[in-house]
Amino acid sequence: MTKILMTSVRDDEQPAIKNYAKKNNIEIITTPKLIDDAIDLTTDIDGLVIQQRSKLPDDIYAKLHANGLKQIATRTAGFDMVDVKQANANGLTVTNVPAYSPRSVAEFALMQILRLLRNSYRFDHQVANNDFRWFSDEQSIEIHTATIGIIGVGRIGGTLAKLLNALGATVLGYDTNPRTDLEGVVEFVAKEELLKRADVVSLHVDLNPTSKGLLTAKEFALMKPTAGLVNASRGPVVNTADLVTALKAGEIAAAALDTFEGEETVAAADRREKGLDDQPLVKELHAMDNVILTPHIAFFTNLAVQNMVDFSLDDVLAILNGKQSPHEIKL
Ligand SMILES: NC(=O)c1ccc[n+]([C@@H]2O[C@H](COP(=O)([O-])OP(=O)(O)OC[C@H]3O[C@@H](n4cnc5c(N)ncnc54)[C@H](O)[C@@H]3O)[C@@H](O)[C@H]2O)c1
């Protein structure tokens, strides 16, 4: 029976893994450990699925090859933890899951856009302090009268655009490679125009040299003082120090950040005792009343988890059966 090892497995993934094993009549061994610490489990397996942000140790590729493995599948979209060149040199095909559920992140961004438009973060803080008053600058904007700017109108940004359009919002888009299939849904404009007109700006670019530091002091200065920012893309797309300054100066009203610089040691971690002293910028964001922080969970839904498991295992079986995976990383 085909035997596959899955590392860094969380409890919430187990039902999907068990279903897959049963449906495909294979054995799947799981461990919560990183592959770095689970190499001893690879001696008699046929396939491997990993999930981690830290880089794989350099000596791991030769060890996997020596144990007869033919592939490494990561059940994430990002694959920068794998040295694909070294993997290929050791006869290992690398696959990822580029799109497990664009809707998961799009729905999350929609929720945060609504929270910013409805000033919910302010009412949450007030009510937590027994302050039930209304303030005149807390009057909200109904979404069908709002203008939402999406930067990066790809899989997730495009899905969000359709959701917003269905709710009657005016949707502006900025993309270095504008799509032609969203006519009547998105009005593509220059970045500066989008920043000036939007009530909320939502970031959905991939991280690349052109998108690193896409929003800095210069861009925040263009935005409305009442505007909100949603970042569920990647932390370094925003210059965090400039964002903190803009929020404190009232250049923009609020930010909802699911991804932020410094999240690598914070997201998914228990910081109740340690606190955030080692991540001063994150600590500052965390202390601000007009910032909603979440620990990189926009993707964390029923369908996305199911698809990450199913698609990555489909890739393993394809390769073991001598077929091509559509998700093979080619250098
Ligand atoms: N928070 C989460 O849980 C979570 C989960 C999945 C993906 N993501 C992130 O969401 C982002 C979008 O993912 P996707 O699958 O939609 O990607 P995608 O590749 O389909 O879309 C990205 C879009 O951004 C555009 N783009 C790239 N650089 C740009 C720039 N400098 N200016 C303007 N546009 C630019 C591209 O042309 C493309 O249309 C990625 O950063 C990904 O890491 C976050």
Side-chain angles (χ1 to χ4, degrees), residues 242-257:
D242 287 359
L243 172 64
V244 168
T245 306
L247 285 165
K248 285 190 171 161
E251 273 188 327
I252 68 168
L257 310 174

Side-chain angles (χ1 to χ4, degrees), residues 152 175-176 204-214 233-234 236-237:
D175 199 299
T176 40
H204 299 286
V205 291
D206 54 289
L207 185 62
N208 64 59
T210 69
S211 66
K212 191 163 183 260
L214 198 60
S233 61
R234 294 289 291 274
V237 172

Side-chain angles (χ1 to χ4, degrees), residues 53-229:
R53 291 202 190 150
S54 55
K55 239 180 154 29
L56 264 53
D58 278 346
D59 60 353
I60 212 155
Y61 306 98
K63 287 182 183 167
L64 294 175
H65 175 68
N67 285 345
L69 279 151
K70 294 189 170 53
Q71 54 67 236
I72 302 173
T74 173
R75 54 190 188 284
T76 54
F79 54 87
D80 42 351
M81 70 298 251
V82 182
D83 183 335
V84 180
K85 218 169 164 182
Q86 273 212 62
N88 291 169
N90 282 281
L92 301 160
T93 301
V94 181
T95 57
N96 70 335
V97 182
Y100 31 85
S101 172
R103 182 83 187 221
S104 64
V105 182
E107 285 188 9
F108 183 87
L110 175 63
M111 175 184 76
Q112 299 298 55
I113 290 166
L114 284 164
R115 287 177 82 188
L116 294 177
L117 289 176
R118 300 307 298 250
N119 297 306
S120 78
Y121 58 98
R122 289 188 57 179
F123 293 112
D124 287 349
H125 285 297
Q126 278 176 234
V127 172
N129 291 316
N130 274 338
D131 182 353
F132 292 81
R133 291 176 297 171
W134 309 348
F135 293 93
S136 53
D137 63 345
E138 288 174 328
Q139 192 188 74
S140 293
I141 302 174
E142 294 182 26
I143 196 153
H144 58 103
T145 68
T147 298
I148 310 299
I150 301 178
I151 299 188
V153 192
R155 283 177 291 238
I156 294 170
T159 306
L160 173 63
K162 289 179 195 161
L163 294 174
L164 287 165
N165 180 256
L167 291 170
T170 299
V171 185
L172 305 179
Y174 166 67
D175 199 299
T176 40
N177 190 13
R179 287 160 63 161
T180 51
D181 61 330
L182 288 171
E183 223 184 284
V185 174
V186 179
E187 180 192 342
F188 280 96
V189 294
K191 182 170 86 170
E192 289 70 23
E193 183 178 345
L194 180 148
L195 292 168
K196 282 183 193 161
R197 285 175 59 193
D199 295 306
V200 178
V201 172
S202 199
L203 298 175
H204 299 286
V205 291
D206 54 289
L207 185 62
N208 64 59
T210 69
S211 66
K212 191 163 183 260
L214 198 60
L215 294 195
T216 63
K218 187 170 130 248
E219 284 73 29
F220 296 128
L222 294 175
M223 290 172 67
K224 297 182 189 177
T226 50
L229 172 71

